[in-house]
Amino acid sequence: MAKLMVLTLLGLAMTGFRDHPSYQKRFAASREVEPVGLPNCNLVKGIETGSEDLEILPNGLALISSGLKYPGNKNFDSNTPGNILLMDLNEEDPAVLELSISGSKFNMSSFYPHGISTFTDEDNTVYLLVVNHPDAKSTVELFKFQKEEKSLLHLKTIRHELLHSLNDIVAVGPEHFYATNDHYFVDPYLRSLEVNLGLSWSYVVYYSPNEVKVVADGFDFANGINISPDGKYVYISELLSHKIHVYEKHANWTLTSLKSLAFDTLVDNISVDPVTGDLWVGCHPNGMRIFFYNPERIPGSEVIQIQDILSEEPKVTVVYAENGTVLQASSVASVYQGKLLIGSVYHKALYCKL
Ligand SMILES: *[C@@H]1O[C@H](CO)[C@@H](O)[C@H](O)[C@H]1NC(C)=O
Ligand SMILES: *[C@@H]1O[C@H](CO)[C@@H](O)[C@H](O)[C@H]1NC(C)=O
Ligand SMILES: *[C@@H]1O[C@H](CO)[C@@H](O)[C@H](O)[C@H]1NC(C)=O
Ligand SMILES: CC(=O)N[C@H]1CO[C@H](CO)[C@@H](O)[C@@H]1O
C-alpha cells in the first residue's frame, strides 16, 4: 500500500520522463548496432511468431517457447495461443515440430508461454517448467516431456501470490525453482509507471511446495535467470540496468550477492553451457526499439558470450550483432556442439555454425 501511494505521487509529478538522461540511458536509446557477423547462419523454418526462450537438452533436443503474448509486448499474431516447439539439433537441417499437449485440466486456448526450464531426475524423466500468462496472469505449468511420443503431459499448474509477474524460471527440481518477477505490479498502468520511473522494485522468488520466499530484490526489471553447472551460483540479468548479477546459492536456498558485471546492452535470457560453464546471453542493443515498437526503427539483435565469470577478469565477446534486418529482438542464445541457436521475443530464430 505504501508503495502504491509513493507511485501515485511520483506519477503525478512526472512529465517528459522519456527525455530524461537516466531514462535514455536505461533504455540505451541512442545505441546503434555495430554488426558482428557469423558466416554460416540460417533462419529456422517454421518459426515466425517468436522463440522467446529455449533450452537444449544434453541429447541435442531443443525445446522452444513460441507465441508469447504479454501486455505491452509486440506480437505479429494476436489471436493464436502459443506452443512449445521441438528441434533436433543432431539433424543436418533440423526442422521444428509442435509438441502436442495432453492433460485433462490444461487449457490450450490460453497458453502463452514465456520463460522455460527443464529438470531431469535420476530416472531420466525430463520435466519442463513453463511460465504461462493465461488471461495476462502468471502461472507455472509443470509438464513431463515424452520424447518418444513427441508430446508434453500436463501435470500441474502452480500459482502463488509471490509468483505474480513472472518472466523467467530455472528449475532445481520438478516442483522446485527460482523465478524472476519482472515487475512489482500487475496492473498495466502501474507497471508502466514502475518501469518509466525506474523504481527497481522487481524481485526473485524461490519456490518449493513447502516454502516460498523472496531471495533477491531491488531490480530494475529482473529478467533471465539460470544456474551454474555445479549448482553453486545463480545468475540473474537485470534488463534495464544492463547488468548480470552472480549470486551464491546456499543450502537453505537463500542467495547472497557475489559480483555484478555491467554491459552496454539490455541483457535478456541467460543460457549456461553445461560443458564450459560459459554464459550466453540474448540482448537488446536498443531498449526503446523493443519497448516501443516502430516498423521504421526495428529492434536489432545481439548475442554475448561470457567466459570465466567468477574470475577477476571475465572475458566478454560480442559473438553476433545485427540491426534487425535478419532477426529482430533476440532474447536468448544457446550452444550445442559448435552450433548457436538464437531466439527472439516475437520474431524468428536463427541457427548458426560457430
Ligand atoms: C480457456 O481459455 C479461454 C481463453 O482465455 C477461455 O475463454 C475459456 O473459458 C477457458 N476454458 C476453460 C474451461 O477454462
Ligand atoms: C541461510 O544460509 C546462509 C549461509 O549459510 C546463512 O548466512 C543465512 O543466515 C541462512 N538464512 C536463513 C534464513 O536461515
Ligand atoms: C542493416 O544492415 C544491413 C546489412 O549490414 C544493411 O544492408 C541495412 O541497410 C541496414 N539497415 C538499416 C536500417 O540500418
Ligand atoms: C537457452 C537457454 O538456456 N535459455 C534459458 C533461459 O532462462 C531459463 C531460466 O534460467 C532457462 O531455463 C533457459 O534454459
Side-chain angles (χ1 to χ4, degrees), residues 239-268:
L239 187 78
L240 292 172
S241 75
H242 319 167
K243 285 189 183 131
I244 290 186
H245 302 275
V246 181
Y247 285 84
E248 196 175 343
K249 172 172 142 297
H250 301 292
N252 58 18
W253 305 101
T254 61
L255 302 177
T256 47
S257 173
L258 198 64
K259 68 193 285 188
S260 302
L261 273 67
F263 301 90
D264 183 27
T265 185
L266 280 67
V267 282
D268 195 331

Side-chain angles (χ1 to χ4, degrees), residues 33-48:
V33 178
E34 284 291 323
V36 176
L38 285 171
N40 267 305
C41 290
N42 287 298
L43 290 168
V44 178
K45 286 181 226 77
I47 301 185
E48 304 290 336

Side-chain angles (χ1 to χ4, degrees), residues 18-277:
R18 271 182 209 163
D19 299 324
H20 196 275
S22 76
Y23 188 91
Q24 296 271 315
K25 181 164 182 283
R26 289 168 63 234
F27 284 79
S30 54
R31 168 104 199 268
E32 298 292 339
V33 178
E34 284 291 323
V36 176
L38 285 171
N40 267 305
C41 290
N42 287 298
L43 290 168
V44 178
K45 286 181 226 77
I47 301 185
E48 304 290 336
T49 58
S51 44
E52 212 281 330
D53 197 6
L54 59 93
E55 180 148 323
I56 304 175
L57 295 169
N59 59 9
L61 293 180
L63 296 164
I64 303 170
S65 81
S66 182
L68 171 69
K69 312 251 177 346
Y70 201 42
N73 247 357
K74 164 79 191 157
N75 62 73
F76 285 140
D77 171 18
S78 57
N79 296 318
T80 353
N83 48 32
I84 303 291
L85 305 171
L86 179 70
M87 183 172 169
D88 185 350
L89 304 185
N90 301 298
E91 290 171 9
E92 189 51 41
D93 184 18
V96 292
L97 150 95
E98 181 180 338
L99 290 175
S100 64
I101 295 183
S102 58
S104 55
K105 293 208 192 96
F106 191 62
N107 188 349
M108 273 306 289
S109 50
S110 58
F111 186 36
Y112 298 112
H114 200 168
I116 64 173
S117 184
T118 60
F119 181 80
T120 306
D121 71 10
E122 26 333 318
D123 305 329
N124 261 329
T125 303
V126 178
Y127 295 92
L128 177 69
L129 288 82
V130 181
V131 170
N132 184 18
H133 298 297
D135 307 315
K137 296 192 174 67
S138 286
T139 61
V140 173
E141 310 294 345
L142 174 65
F143 299 97
K144 186 173 154 192
F145 173 46
Q146 298 170 311
K147 194 172 78 179
E148 305 309 324
E149 296 90 335
K150 298 193 169 37
S151 71
L152 295 170
L153 173 64
H154 185 251
L155 300 176
K156 188 165 190 170
T157 298
I158 297 170
R159 293 185 186 84
H160 191 277
E161 59 182 10
L162 285 179
L163 306 173
H164 70 286
S165 181
L166 294 179
N167 185 304
D168 199 4
I169 179 168
V170 60
V172 288
E175 280 185 59
H176 207 167
F177 54 81
Y178 291 97
T180 52
N181 282 298
D182 54 25
H183 291 74
Y184 176 85
F185 289 106
V186 177
D187 176 82
Y189 175 69
L190 296 176
R191 288 165 79 90
S192 70
L193 273 184
E194 183 186 343
V195 165
N196 288 338
L197 294 166
L199 296 178
S200 303
W201 287 350
S202 139
Y203 59 94
V204 177
V205 172
Y206 164 76
Y207 179 93
S208 76
N210 309 322
E211 189 187 19
V212 187
K213 58 188 178 189
V214 176
V215 287
D217 61 6
F219 296 101
D220 193 1
F221 205 114
N223 201 326
I225 183 162
N226 220 320
I227 198 161
S228 60
D230 61 11
K232 287 187 183 161
Y233 303 96
V234 170
Y235 309 124
I236 297 167
S237 60
E238 188 179 10
L239 187 78
L240 292 172
S241 75
H242 319 167
K243 285 189 183 131
I244 290 186
H245 302 275
V246 181
Y247 285 84
E248 196 175 343
K249 172 172 142 297
H250 301 292
N252 58 18
W253 305 101
T254 61
L255 302 177
T256 47
S257 173
L258 198 64
K259 68 193 285 188
S260 302
L261 273 67
F263 301 90
D264 183 27
T265 185
L266 280 67
V267 282
D268 195 331
N269 204 356
I270 304 167
S271 147
V272 177
D273 183 329
V275 182
T276 61

